[in-house]
Amino acid sequence: CLLLAMTVSVGISIPLVFVIHTQNRDVIRAMISDTTIDGGSPGTFRESLRLVRSSPHLRTIGALICICSVVTALASWQFRAIAKDFLVDKDALAAFFGAFYGYTGVLALIIQALVTPRLLRHFGLQIALLVLPFALGVGTTVLIASGALWAATVLKGTDRVVRYSIDTAALQL
């Protein structure tokens, strides 16, 4: 049931990226031409909140972040549950998690340094924002089909690597 909820959430996220792109062509043009849209920036939390409420672009990005956060939480829970089912020994489980988080951290660093700048430069922000929802959708589908530890590891690993490299850079832009 949770995996289906994840799939639906990811399915909603992908069209949101296209909505962001189509609703904000002027913003995207301004970003590409290195000009500012307006000279000032909000100074207080209330002004920032008002800015977010008034901008369909920022509301859509906020919705995308919320949906991906829920999907990530569900994927993390599912990953831990499947790992505990397959690795009963606590020492083996600890070694597995240690190796997993170590390798994904190193891979995220490599992708952040080598792939993310090229991806953003050549394909733009829209494609960079689509990478995480697309990867989570594919990973969730594979996990639903197999239910195996390797599939859960690929899903969680993809989430960690893409989130901490490509997705974080795209969201900050």
Side-chain angles (χ1 to χ4, degrees):
C1 183
L2 289 176
L3 292 175
L4 292 176
M6 288 172 42
T7 304
V8 169
S9 297
V10 169
I12 292 169
S13 298
I14 293 171
L16 284 176
V17 172
F18 287 105
V19 168
I20 291 170
H21 180 71
T22 58
Q23 288 181 347
N24 297 285
R25 293 182 195 271
D26 295 334
V27 174
I28 293 168
R29 279 191 209 107
M31 288 170 51
I32 292 170
S33 67
D34 292 334
T35 60
T36 59
I37 296 169
D38 62 7
S41 63
T44 66
F45 177 72
R46 281 188 176 165
E47 290 173 354
S48 298
L49 192 57
R50 204 171 303 130
L51 177 66
V52 170
R53 283 187 195 154
S54 68
S55 169
H57 175 71
L58 295 176
R59 284 195 317 263
T60 305
I61 288 177
L64 183 66
I65 290 169
C66 288
I67 290 169
C68 283
S69 295
V70 168
V71 169
T72 298
L74 292 173
S76 295
W77 178 83
Q78 195 69 37
F79 173 64
R80 286 189 299 267
I82 291 173
K84 286 179 185 176
D85 286 345
F86 280 87
L87 302 169
V88 180
D89 182 42
K90 288 186 179 186
D91 291 335
L93 189 63
F96 172 74
F97 283 142
F100 172 79
Y101 288 112
Y103 290 134
T104 56
V106 169
L107 188 57
L109 177 65
I110 292 168
I111 289 177
Q112 175 72 24
L114 301 178
V115 176
T116 301
R118 289 182 178 110
L119 178 78
L120 286 168
R121 190 175 317 115
H122 295 294
F123 297 106
L125 195 56
Q126 179 184 9
I127 298 300
L129 285 172
L130 273 176
V131 172
L132 182 62
F134 182 75
L136 289 176
V138 170
T140 301
T141 304
V142 171
L143 182 58
I144 289 171
S146 72
L149 179 59
W150 69 265
T153 304
V154 168
L155 172 61
K156 181 63 178 165
T158 301
D159 171 53
R160 285 189 55 83
V161 169
V162 172
R163 178 172 303 280
Y164 294 121
S165 58
I166 298 168
D167 193 60
T168 298
L171 286 174
Q172 288 175 357
L173 283 174

mmCIF file of all heavy atoms in Angstrom, residues 49-82:
data_model
loop_
_atom_site.group_PDB
_atom_site.id
_atom_site.type_symbol
_atom_site.label_atom_id
_atom_site.label_comp_id
_atom_site.label_asym_id
_atom_site.label_seq_id
_atom_site.Cartn_x
_atom_site.Cartn_y
_atom_site.Cartn_z
ATOM 1 N N LEU A 49 6.858 34.662 3.008
ATOM 2 C CA LEU A 49 5.654 33.840 2.905
ATOM 3 C C LEU A 49 4.675 34.454 1.910
ATOM 4 O O LEU A 49 4.071 33.739 1.098
ATOM 5 C CB LEU A 49 5.015 33.686 4.282
ATOM 6 C CG LEU A 49 3.920 32.652 4.423
ATOM 7 C CD1 LEU A 49 4.428 31.274 4.018
ATOM 8 C CD2 LEU A 49 3.418 32.620 5.853
ATOM 9 N N ARG A 50 4.525 35.759 1.934
ATOM 10 C CA ARG A 50 3.645 36.458 0.994
ATOM 11 C C ARG A 50 4.153 36.268 -0.441
ATOM 12 O O ARG A 50 3.365 36.063 -1.364
ATOM 13 C CB ARG A 50 3.591 37.943 1.357
ATOM 14 C CG ARG A 50 2.348 38.645 0.870
ATOM 15 C CD ARG A 50 2.197 40.056 1.412
ATOM 16 N NE ARG A 50 2.203 40.043 2.874
ATOM 17 C CZ ARG A 50 2.960 40.830 3.636
ATOM 18 N NH1 ARG A 50 3.777 41.703 3.094
ATOM 19 N NH2 ARG A 50 2.905 40.760 4.943
ATOM 20 N N LEU A 51 5.456 36.328 -0.617
ATOM 21 C CA LEU A 51 6.042 36.119 -1.938
ATOM 22 C C LEU A 51 5.760 34.713 -2.454
ATOM 23 O O LEU A 51 5.387 34.523 -3.613
ATOM 24 C CB LEU A 51 7.551 36.375 -1.899
ATOM 25 C CG LEU A 51 8.328 36.142 -3.190
ATOM 26 C CD1 LEU A 51 7.889 37.152 -4.248
ATOM 27 C CD2 LEU A 51 9.808 36.237 -2.936
ATOM 28 N N VAL A 52 5.909 33.722 -1.581
ATOM 29 C CA VAL A 52 5.645 32.337 -1.976
ATOM 30 C C VAL A 52 4.174 32.154 -2.325
ATOM 31 O O VAL A 52 3.832 31.510 -3.319
ATOM 32 C CB VAL A 52 6.088 31.354 -0.868
ATOM 33 C CG1 VAL A 52 5.606 29.947 -1.163
ATOM 34 C CG2 VAL A 52 7.601 31.378 -0.715
ATOM 35 N N ARG A 53 3.291 32.712 -1.526
ATOM 36 C CA ARG A 53 1.844 32.590 -1.797
ATOM 37 C C ARG A 53 1.453 33.247 -3.109
ATOM 38 O O ARG A 53 0.552 32.781 -3.792
ATOM 39 C CB ARG A 53 1.041 33.219 -0.665
ATOM 40 C CG ARG A 53 0.969 32.387 0.561
ATOM 41 C CD ARG A 53 0.013 33.017 1.543
ATOM 42 N NE ARG A 53 0.182 32.441 2.858
ATOM 43 C CZ ARG A 53 -0.108 33.067 3.971
ATOM 44 N NH1 ARG A 53 -0.574 34.298 3.953
ATOM 45 N NH2 ARG A 53 0.073 32.471 5.125
ATOM 46 N N SER A 54 2.102 34.341 -3.450
ATOM 47 C CA SER A 54 1.712 35.080 -4.649
ATOM 48 C C SER A 54 2.303 34.501 -5.933
ATOM 49 O O SER A 54 1.885 34.868 -7.018
ATOM 50 C CB SER A 54 2.126 36.548 -4.516
ATOM 51 O OG SER A 54 3.538 36.655 -4.527
ATOM 52 N N SER A 55 3.256 33.601 -5.813
ATOM 53 C CA SER A 55 3.927 33.073 -7.001
ATOM 54 C C SER A 55 3.529 31.622 -7.268
ATOM 55 O O SER A 55 3.833 30.732 -6.471
ATOM 56 C CB SER A 55 5.449 33.142 -6.792
ATOM 57 O OG SER A 55 6.104 32.424 -7.801
ATOM 58 N N PRO A 56 2.863 31.371 -8.402
ATOM 59 C CA PRO A 56 2.543 29.977 -8.746
ATOM 60 C C PRO A 56 3.813 29.134 -8.895
ATOM 61 O O PRO A 56 3.813 27.952 -8.570
ATOM 62 C CB PRO A 56 1.809 30.077 -10.077
ATOM 63 C CG PRO A 56 1.505 31.506 -10.293
ATOM 64 C CD PRO A 56 2.369 32.309 -9.378
ATOM 65 N N HIS A 57 4.874 29.750 -9.355
ATOM 66 C CA HIS A 57 6.153 29.061 -9.529
ATOM 67 C C HIS A 57 6.666 28.538 -8.183
ATOM 68 O O HIS A 57 7.015 27.367 -8.049
ATOM 69 C CB HIS A 57 7.153 30.039 -10.153
ATOM 70 C CG HIS A 57 8.541 29.510 -10.282
ATOM 71 N ND1 HIS A 57 8.866 28.536 -11.185
ATOM 72 C CD2 HIS A 57 9.682 29.818 -9.626
ATOM 73 C CE1 HIS A 57 10.153 28.263 -11.079
ATOM 74 N NE2 HIS A 57 10.677 29.037 -10.136
ATOM 75 N N LEU A 58 6.699 29.411 -7.188
ATOM 76 C CA LEU A 58 7.207 29.016 -5.873
ATOM 77 C C LEU A 58 6.268 28.033 -5.180
ATOM 78 O O LEU A 58 6.726 27.127 -4.488
ATOM 79 C CB LEU A 58 7.437 30.248 -4.997
ATOM 80 C CG LEU A 58 8.538 31.197 -5.500
ATOM 81 C CD1 LEU A 58 8.613 32.434 -4.624
ATOM 82 C CD2 LEU A 58 9.872 30.483 -5.549
ATOM 83 N N ARG A 59 4.961 28.191 -5.365
ATOM 84 C CA ARG A 59 4.012 27.228 -4.779
ATOM 85 C C ARG A 59 4.199 25.847 -5.396
ATOM 86 O O ARG A 59 4.151 24.837 -4.698
ATOM 87 C CB ARG A 59 2.580 27.710 -4.969
ATOM 88 C CG ARG A 59 2.173 28.830 -4.045
ATOM 89 C CD ARG A 59 0.658 29.030 -4.002
ATOM 90 N NE ARG A 59 0.020 28.978 -5.303
ATOM 91 C CZ ARG A 59 -0.300 30.046 -6.037
ATOM 92 N NH1 ARG A 59 -0.026 31.251 -5.595
ATOM 93 N NH2 ARG A 59 -0.888 29.899 -7.203
ATOM 94 N N THR A 60 4.426 25.802 -6.695
ATOM 95 C CA THR A 60 4.620 24.513 -7.371
ATOM 96 C C THR A 60 5.910 23.856 -6.907
ATOM 97 O O THR A 60 5.944 22.646 -6.657
ATOM 98 C CB THR A 60 4.634 24.710 -8.900
ATOM 99 O OG1 THR A 60 3.442 25.387 -9.284
ATOM 100 C CG2 THR A 60 4.701 23.379 -9.619
ATOM 101 N N ILE A 61 6.967 24.633 -6.763
ATOM 102 C CA ILE A 61 8.226 24.081 -6.255
ATOM 103 C C ILE A 61 8.036 23.576 -4.830
ATOM 104 O O ILE A 61 8.532 22.503 -4.470
ATOM 105 C CB ILE A 61 9.366 25.117 -6.339
ATOM 106 C CG1 ILE A 61 9.777 25.316 -7.788
ATOM 107 C CG2 ILE A 61 10.563 24.685 -5.512
ATOM 108 C CD1 ILE A 61 10.837 26.363 -7.993
ATOM 109 N N GLY A 62 7.301 24.320 -4.018
ATOM 110 C CA GLY A 62 7.014 23.881 -2.648
ATOM 111 C C GLY A 62 6.257 22.563 -2.630
ATOM 112 O O GLY A 62 6.557 21.668 -1.831
ATOM 113 N N ALA A 63 5.270 22.433 -3.502
ATOM 114 C CA ALA A 63 4.513 21.180 -3.590
ATOM 115 C C ALA A 63 5.413 20.036 -4.030
ATOM 116 O O ALA A 63 5.332 18.924 -3.493
ATOM 117 C CB ALA A 63 3.346 21.340 -4.562
ATOM 118 N N LEU A 64 6.279 20.307 -4.979
ATOM 119 C CA LEU A 64 7.223 19.290 -5.455
ATOM 120 C C LEU A 64 8.142 18.834 -4.330
ATOM 121 O O LEU A 64 8.380 17.633 -4.157
ATOM 122 C CB LEU A 64 8.034 19.845 -6.623
ATOM 123 C CG LEU A 64 9.021 18.918 -7.297
ATOM 124 C CD1 LEU A 64 8.276 17.789 -7.982
ATOM 125 C CD2 LEU A 64 9.836 19.684 -8.319
ATOM 126 N N ILE A 65 8.641 19.765 -3.550
ATOM 127 C CA ILE A 65 9.513 19.427 -2.428
ATOM 128 C C ILE A 65 8.761 18.591 -1.403
ATOM 129 O O ILE A 65 9.283 17.592 -0.893
ATOM 130 C CB ILE A 65 10.083 20.708 -1.786
ATOM 131 C CG1 ILE A 65 11.078 21.371 -2.730
ATOM 132 C CG2 ILE A 65 10.752 20.404 -0.451
ATOM 133 C CD1 ILE A 65 11.490 22.768 -2.318
ATOM 134 N N CYS A 66 7.523 18.974 -1.091
ATOM 135 C CA CYS A 66 6.724 18.218 -0.107
ATOM 136 C C CYS A 66 6.459 16.792 -0.580
ATOM 137 O O CYS A 66 6.620 15.838 0.188
ATOM 138 C CB CYS A 66 5.409 18.934 0.168
ATOM 139 S SG CYS A 66 5.583 20.440 1.124
ATOM 140 N N ILE A 67 6.069 16.652 -1.827
ATOM 141 C CA ILE A 67 5.773 15.312 -2.353
ATOM 142 C C ILE A 67 7.024 14.447 -2.351
ATOM 143 O O ILE A 67 6.991 13.286 -1.929
ATOM 144 C CB ILE A 67 5.156 15.410 -3.761
ATOM 145 C CG1 ILE A 67 3.745 15.988 -3.662
ATOM 146 C CG2 ILE A 67 5.120 14.048 -4.443
ATOM 147 C CD1 ILE A 67 3.143 16.369 -5.001
ATOM 148 N N CYS A 68 8.136 14.994 -2.816
ATOM 149 C CA CYS A 68 9.380 14.212 -2.828
ATOM 150 C C CYS A 68 9.830 13.869 -1.410
ATOM 151 O O CYS A 68 10.388 12.798 -1.183
ATOM 152 C CB CYS A 68 10.468 14.955 -3.586
ATOM 153 S SG CYS A 68 10.272 14.864 -5.375
ATOM 154 N N SER A 69 9.578 14.744 -0.449
ATOM 155 C CA SER A 69 9.941 14.452 0.940
ATOM 156 C C SER A 69 9.127 13.292 1.491
ATOM 157 O O SER A 69 9.658 12.417 2.180
ATOM 158 C CB SER A 69 9.736 15.691 1.814
ATOM 159 O OG SER A 69 10.613 16.703 1.429
ATOM 160 N N VAL A 70 7.837 13.269 1.183
ATOM 161 C CA VAL A 70 6.983 12.164 1.637
ATOM 162 C C VAL A 70 7.436 10.859 0.985
ATOM 163 O O VAL A 70 7.558 9.821 1.653
ATOM 164 C CB VAL A 70 5.504 12.453 1.319
ATOM 165 C CG1 VAL A 70 4.635 11.225 1.515
ATOM 166 C CG2 VAL A 70 4.995 13.597 2.191
ATOM 167 N N VAL A 71 7.706 10.905 -0.309
ATOM 168 C CA VAL A 71 8.154 9.703 -1.017
ATOM 169 C C VAL A 71 9.483 9.214 -0.445
ATOM 170 O O VAL A 71 9.681 8.015 -0.238
ATOM 171 C CB VAL A 71 8.271 9.977 -2.535
ATOM 172 C CG1 VAL A 71 8.977 8.840 -3.247
ATOM 173 C CG2 VAL A 71 6.889 10.192 -3.122
ATOM 174 N N THR A 72 10.385 10.131 -0.150
ATOM 175 C CA THR A 72 11.680 9.760 0.414
ATOM 176 C C THR A 72 11.516 9.118 1.789
ATOM 177 O O THR A 72 12.180 8.125 2.098
ATOM 178 C CB THR A 72 12.588 10.999 0.506
ATOM 179 O OG1 THR A 72 12.797 11.480 -0.817
ATOM 180 C CG2 THR A 72 13.920 10.661 1.124
ATOM 181 N N ALA A 73 10.642 9.661 2.611
ATOM 182 C CA ALA A 73 10.398 9.077 3.935
ATOM 183 C C ALA A 73 9.836 7.671 3.809
ATOM 184 O O ALA A 73 10.258 6.746 4.522
ATOM 185 C CB ALA A 73 9.456 9.969 4.736
ATOM 186 N N LEU A 74 8.901 7.485 2.880
ATOM 187 C CA LEU A 74 8.333 6.147 2.667
ATOM 188 C C LEU A 74 9.380 5.185 2.118
ATOM 189 O O LEU A 74 9.441 4.018 2.530
ATOM 190 C CB LEU A 74 7.143 6.230 1.711
ATOM 191 C CG LEU A 74 5.898 6.951 2.242
ATOM 192 C CD1 LEU A 74 4.862 7.104 1.139
ATOM 193 C CD2 LEU A 74 5.313 6.211 3.434
ATOM 194 N N ALA A 75 10.215 5.656 1.205
ATOM 195 C CA ALA A 75 11.266 4.800 0.648
ATOM 196 C C ALA A 75 12.267 4.410 1.731
ATOM 197 O O ALA A 75 12.728 3.259 1.770
ATOM 198 C CB ALA A 75 11.977 5.513 -0.504
ATOM 199 N N SER A 76 12.598 5.333 2.625
ATOM 200 C CA SER A 76 13.527 5.028 3.719
ATOM 201 C C SER A 76 12.951 3.976 4.644
ATOM 202 O O SER A 76 13.639 3.033 5.047
ATOM 203 C CB SER A 76 13.840 6.291 4.523
ATOM 204 O OG SER A 76 14.526 7.205 3.727
ATOM 205 N N TRP A 77 11.694 4.143 4.976
ATOM 206 C CA TRP A 77 11.045 3.165 5.854
ATOM 207 C C TRP A 77 11.012 1.794 5.183
ATOM 208 O O TRP A 77 11.318 0.776 5.810
ATOM 209 C CB TRP A 77 9.622 3.634 6.181
ATOM 210 C CG TRP A 77 8.903 2.655 7.029
ATOM 211 C CD1 TRP A 77 8.979 2.528 8.385
ATOM 212 C CD2 TRP A 77 8.022 1.625 6.571
ATOM 213 N NE1 TRP A 77 8.193 1.484 8.795
ATOM 214 C CE2 TRP A 77 7.587 0.912 7.703
ATOM 215 C CE3 TRP A 77 7.550 1.241 5.320
ATOM 216 C CZ2 TRP A 77 6.707 -0.157 7.623
ATOM 217 C CZ3 TRP A 77 6.677 0.177 5.242
ATOM 218 C CH2 TRP A 77 6.273 -0.505 6.380
ATOM 219 N N GLN A 78 10.635 1.759 3.915
ATOM 220 C CA GLN A 78 10.560 0.501 3.184
ATOM 221 C C GLN A 78 11.944 -0.138 3.072
ATOM 222 O O GLN A 78 12.089 -1.348 3.220
ATOM 223 C CB GLN A 78 9.978 0.753 1.789
ATOM 224 C CG GLN A 78 9.533 -0.488 1.087
ATOM 225 C CD GLN A 78 8.316 -1.117 1.728
ATOM 226 O OE1 GLN A 78 7.441 -0.423 2.197
ATOM 227 N NE2 GLN A 78 8.271 -2.425 1.757
ATOM 228 N N PHE A 79 12.970 0.649 2.821
ATOM 229 C CA PHE A 79 14.337 0.151 2.706
ATOM 230 C C PHE A 79 14.779 -0.516 4.003
ATOM 231 O O PHE A 79 15.318 -1.628 3.995
ATOM 232 C CB PHE A 79 15.261 1.318 2.345
ATOM 233 C CG PHE A 79 16.727 0.984 2.352
ATOM 234 C CD1 PHE A 79 17.252 0.062 1.461
ATOM 235 C CD2 PHE A 79 17.585 1.612 3.235
ATOM 236 C CE1 PHE A 79 18.607 -0.228 1.459
ATOM 237 C CE2 PHE A 79 18.936 1.334 3.236
ATOM 238 C CZ PHE A 79 19.446 0.411 2.349
ATOM 239 N N ARG A 80 14.550 0.167 5.128
ATOM 240 C CA ARG A 80 14.932 -0.415 6.423
ATOM 241 C C ARG A 80 14.156 -1.693 6.717
ATOM 242 O O ARG A 80 14.723 -2.672 7.219
ATOM 243 C CB ARG A 80 14.728 0.611 7.539
ATOM 244 C CG ARG A 80 15.771 1.704 7.543
ATOM 245 C CD ARG A 80 15.679 2.576 8.783
ATOM 246 N NE ARG A 80 14.399 3.249 8.897
ATOM 247 C CZ ARG A 80 14.136 4.457 8.448
ATOM 248 N NH1 ARG A 80 15.087 5.145 7.848
ATOM 249 N NH2 ARG A 80 12.944 4.998 8.592
ATOM 250 N N ALA A 81 12.860 -1.701 6.404
ATOM 251 C CA ALA A 81 12.043 -2.887 6.668
ATOM 252 C C ALA A 81 12.498 -4.082 5.834
ATOM 253 O O ALA A 81 12.615 -5.202 6.351
ATOM 254 C CB ALA A 81 10.567 -2.578 6.399
ATOM 255 N N ILE A 82 12.768 -3.858 4.570
ATOM 256 C CA ILE A 82 13.217 -4.955 3.703
ATOM 257 C C ILE A 82 14.607 -5.424 4.122
ATOM 258 O O ILE A 82 14.882 -6.631 4.150
ATOM 259 C CB ILE A 82 13.178 -4.530 2.225
ATOM 260 C CG1 ILE A 82 11.721 -4.369 1.773
ATOM 261 C CG2 ILE A 82 13.898 -5.529 1.335
ATOM 262 C CD1 ILE A 82 11.553 -3.791 0.392
#
